[in-house]
Amino acid sequence: MTKRKVTGSQAVILSLLEEGVDTIFGYPGGAIMPIYDALYDFDKHVEHILTRHEQGAVHAAQGYARVTGKAGVCFVTSGPGATNLITGIADAMIDSTPLVCISGQVASPLLGTDAFQESDVVGISMPITKWNYQITSPEEIPEAIAQAFYIARSGRPGPVLIDITKDAQFAELEFEYKKCRKVRSYVPEPRIDPFKVKEAAEIIDEAKKPMLLFGQGVIIGQAEEELKAFVEKTGIPAAWTLLGLSALPSDHPLNVGMLGMHGNYGPNLLTNEADLIIAVGMRFDDRVTGKVSTYAEKAKIIHLEIDPSEINKIKKADVAVLGNSKKTLKMLTDLVKPNKHDEWLSRFRECDKIENDKIIHNELFPTKPGLTMGEVVRIAGDKTNHEAILVTDVGQHQMIASRYFKFRQPRSNVTSGGLGTMGFGLPASMGAQLGAPDRTVIAVIGDGGFQMTIQELGTIAQNKLPVKIIVLNNNFLGMVRQWQQLFFEKRYSFTELQNPDFITIGKGFGIEGHKVEHREDLDSGIQKMIDHDGPYLLEVVIEKEDNVFPMVPTGASVSDVMLEPNS
């Protein structure tokens, strides 16, 4: 590549184009103004989405990354602009979402002087980034950005942050870009030990009651087909974590449902009967394990994981197979013997029947007067032929939607898992729609979380993003209220909401919508939303005390899963 003289700001944009960036989310300000000025000349090469808040920018970048597998990119200014990214960066770190965040910074002579809109964003973000770096010289820009993309996307992905002083943006350099292929001391993918794979295969062949748990590592590793081939050859029942959802089709005969606090009855109850747990690309989060000391006590554990720090962190592995799940699953599948576990699988189906009779049927096909979250999700899924991308916020609706929305394609579930960030859903749906413009994106959001980032309706309207937004309104912070009902004697302390007229607010932004309060209007209301050309806001009023079951109480064993209050 021929060298040419450019400003630091131009070098930023040229470097992003070299990395194939086509979409940037951001919010301008004084310290990043030179970069925005440079961006003005490249509007035909890259799309910039002006969000209404920096938190909206980072969550939108997350949504984009989750559906595309690319690194999401966002721009912010110094001080409050940069600190407003922190929640999204922390969310991306715990959920392994690749992001490249670029913040402007005060001029280098002012660093450490408490200058206007100065904050130590590098120090603040250090614990929640995979890597961060402050640039004070324009010559550093190409190499730093190349390294940022390599680190963000490789191995176990995650967020990186580059902070660029204003004088470095104005100064000139001889620009030359070289993509980063290696960073000293950084090993993104550990070497696969074939002897560990062989040892794991032998244990799998001997197991009588094996169970596979798959997480987002399967999706990140693009190992969906390898997972399917493995479970079909071995006949092993497979259950998913919240972020593993959509890695295996919902209707696959060996898919036995969701793990964890509000997961399905069978996977939770039978964990403590299994003689083997095969964990693939998941980290034994506390919401999955419940009381760790009583979790899978009868089972040997085989852990397939790319990040060595996750091995033995929560549960000790009898065999740890390090490496990318796409490679390790293929190696394992080649070695294991064909098998079936029909009798064991039938135990899960028996549990399904119990759960259906006690919970699912009543949630999806209720006879009580009030609308339920489940019936809304069921109808929305059916009307999109189970091919839509589901984006959820955090709370009761998140658990219900994850349980009852069905998936046929990978990368169809976008939610905040590890951090549980309310306000995630609306901006993440924008990024998901931009990342997958040919697919229907449905955002299911609670009335509480919706109001945390409601201003992003302006971004959706300005960019004509055809997101279909369903707000489930019970005038409560529903998940907290459920806990108060079950464990705090119905002492509803500061969880009831006086909500605004959401539909009027949506129309104020230029977004069409309507409100559904009665069952006879629900089907046609959802159909109207789906058919509408452009964004649409559907508010559905649901029962105030509509709860999510099953439920594993905090500190309880997963086998103590509750099917109803006090069960």
Side-chain angles (χ1 to χ4, degrees):
M1 181 179 179
T2 305
K3 289 185 178 181
R4 53 176 164 153
K5 201 163 195 176
V6 301
T7 65
S9 298
Q10 292 169 324
V12 170
I13 308 302
L14 291 169
S15 298
L16 296 179
L17 293 176
E18 289 285 343
E19 291 293 341
V21 173
D22 56 18
T23 307
I24 299 167
F25 304 90
Y27 203 96
I32 201 169
M33 207 175 295
I35 290 175
Y36 269 91
D37 184 67
L39 182 61
Y40 189 85
D41 295 324
F42 291 91
D43 62 335
K44 293 181 180 177
H45 303 280
V46 61
E47 184 174 17
H48 178 276
I49 304 298
L50 173 64
T51 60
R52 298 305 185 261
H53 192 284
E54 291 88 356
Q55 186 173 347
V58 68
H59 289 328
Q62 288 177 272
Y64 176 91
R66 293 276 284 275
V67 301
T68 63
K70 301 176 184 178
V73 178
C74 55
F75 286 172
V76 296
T77 195
S78 62
T83 57
N84 281 342
L85 288 184
I86 294 302
T87 297
I89 292 173
D91 192 287
M93 185 67 176
I94 200 166
D95 282 353
S96 303
T97 304
L99 296 181
V100 174
C101 303
I102 295 176
S103 56
Q105 184 56 276
V106 300
S108 51
L110 297 175
L111 290 172
T113 68
D114 293 332
F116 176 68
Q117 290 195 332
E118 181 194 2
S119 66
D120 180 11
V121 69
V122 171
I124 292 168
S125 66
M126 193 172 290
I128 54 167
T129 48
K130 195 175 175 187
W131 180 71
N132 66 14
Y133 187 74
Q134 186 174 76
I135 293 173
T136 57
S137 169
E139 289 79 13
E140 300 174 279
I141 289 171
E143 184 179 357
I145 289 179
Q147 189 165 320
F149 275 91
Y150 175 69
I151 292 172
R153 294 187 295 214
S154 59
R156 181 179 180 176
V160 300
L161 180 138
I162 297 177
D163 193 44
I164 310 176
T165 60
K166 197 168 183 178
D167 50 325
Q169 297 173 45
F170 277 122
E172 293 186 332
L173 72 151
E174 293 288 335
F175 181 79
E176 182 181 28
Y177 198 79
K178 296 178 181 177
K179 286 197 176 185
C180 182
R181 313 274 181 205
K182 185 179 181 181
V183 174
R184 189 177 66 179
S185 78
Y186 170 57
V187 183
E189 287 192 24
R191 184 184 66 85
I192 300 172
D193 184 343
F195 294 103
K196 292 292 185 183
V197 179
K198 184 174 183 294
E199 187 181 352
E202 290 171 352
I203 294 173
I204 291 168
D205 287 340
E206 294 170 1
K208 303 301 180 188
K209 294 182 176 181
M211 184 174 164
L212 186 142
L213 319 179
F214 62 92
Q216 192 184 203
V218 173
I219 297 170
I220 293 169
Q222 300 178 19
E224 294 92 349
E225 288 302 316
E226 287 75 12
L227 173 68
K228 185 168 175 281
F230 176 80
V231 297
E232 288 179 350
K233 184 175 182 179
T234 60
I236 295 175
W240 37 272
T241 69
L242 181 62
L243 294 185
L245 181 56
S246 83
L248 189 68
S250 299
D251 59 0
H252 193 283
L254 290 166
N255 188 333
V256 295
M258 183 165 78
L259 299 161
M261 179 172 282
H262 292 290
N264 292 105
Y265 185 49
N268 278 322
L269 184 71
L270 298 178
T271 293
N272 287 344
E273 291 186 24
D275 61 4
L276 174 63
I277 296 290
I278 307 165
V280 184
M282 57 85 71
R283 57 190 180 86
F284 291 106
D285 177 77
D286 63 288
R287 290 296 167 112
V288 166
T289 63
K291 188 177 181 180
V292 177
S293 61
T294 63
Y295 181 80
E297 290 182 287
K298 300 176 182 177
K300 290 184 177 179
I301 292 178
I302 296 171
H303 198 170
L304 277 63
E305 174 60 50
I306 198 168
D307 184 353
S309 72
E310 294 294 350
I311 301 297
N312 300 327
K313 187 173 84 174
I314 306 296
K315 287 296 294 184
K316 188 177 187 310
D318 293 274
V319 179
V321 180
L322 289 169
N324 186 310
S325 59
K326 189 175 185 69
K327 299 174 184 176
T328 55
L329 274 172
K330 173 68 168 61
M331 293 170 69
L332 200 54
T333 304
D334 289 343
L335 290 179
V336 294
K337 297 174 183 175
N339 205 344
K340 289 186 181 298
H341 296 278
D342 292 341
E343 187 176 340
W344 173 233
L345 183 61
S346 70
R347 292 278 286 112
F348 288 88
R349 299 312 174 204
E350 291 167 7
C351 290
D352 288 347
K353 186 177 186 311
I354 293 169
E355 183 178 351
N356 184 70
D357 292 346
K358 282 186 172 287
I359 299 169
I360 297 175
H361 184 77
N362 294 329
E363 181 70 44
L364 300 185
F365 303 96
T367 56
K368 55 189 176 183
L371 292 168
T372 67
M373 294 176 280
E375 64 182 316
V376 179
V377 170
R378 171 183 60 81
I379 295 170
D382 288 345
K383 288 190 178 296
T384 53
N385 200 30
H386 309 291
E387 292 177 348
I389 293 172
L390 171 70
V391 183
T392 52
D393 206 82
V394 171
Q396 286 182 313
H397 70 277
Q398 177 190 33
M399 296 296 102
I400 289 287
S402 300
R403 284 170 53 81
Y404 299 131
F405 208 83
K406 306 301 178 187
F407 299 94
R408 290 178 175 161
Q409 298 182 51
R411 293 193 177 276
S412 296
N413 174 50
V414 179
T415 197
S416 172
L419 199 64
T421 303
M422 289 180 68
F424 173 90
L426 189 62
S429 71
M430 306 185 310
Q433 188 71 79
L434 284 156
D438 297 328
R439 295 185 65 187
T440 299
V441 174
I442 295 181
V444 178
I445 306 174
D447 49 328
F450 185 54
Q451 292 178 80
M452 288 191 170
T453 48
I454 195 171
Q455 69 276 0
E456 298 307 331
L457 289 174
T459 309
I460 289 172
Q462 181 171 346
N463 294 280
K464 299 179 174 60
L465 302 176
V467 179
K468 312 305 180 188
I469 307 158
I470 301 176
V471 175
L472 298 178
N473 184 2
N474 59 5
N475 291 102
F476 266 111
L477 300 176
M479 187 63 86
V480 183
R481 185 214 51 75
Q482 177 169 334
W483 281 63
Q484 289 173 336
Q485 177 186 343
L486 298 178
F487 307 114
F488 292 87
E489 300 176 337
K490 292 191 176 183
R491 290 159 59 87
Y492 295 154
S493 179
F494 301 101
T495 47
E496 189 164 8
L497 296 170
Q498 180 178 315
N499 288 329
D501 183 337
F502 292 126
I503 303 306
T504 297
I505 290 174
K507 288 181 178 178
F509 281 106
I511 294 175
E512 286 299 313
H514 74 281
K515 183 175 184 177
V516 170
E517 299 183 74
H518 306 290
R519 184 162 291 119
E520 58 266 27
D521 302 321
L522 181 60
D523 189 284
S524 61
I526 292 176
Q527 188 65 59
K528 184 177 180 181
M529 176 191 74
I530 298 296
D531 292 341
H532 183 76
D533 184 17
Y536 200 89
L537 174 59
L538 180 68
E539 178 187 355
V540 182
V541 178
I542 57 170
E543 280 202 344
K544 283 183 176 290
E545 295 191 345
D546 185 11
N547 289 331
V548 187
F549 287 98
M551 180 177 184
V552 179
T554 297
S557 168
V558 289
S559 56
D560 294 329
V561 54
M562 299 166 57
L563 290 174
E564 54 194 2
N566 302 315
S567 65

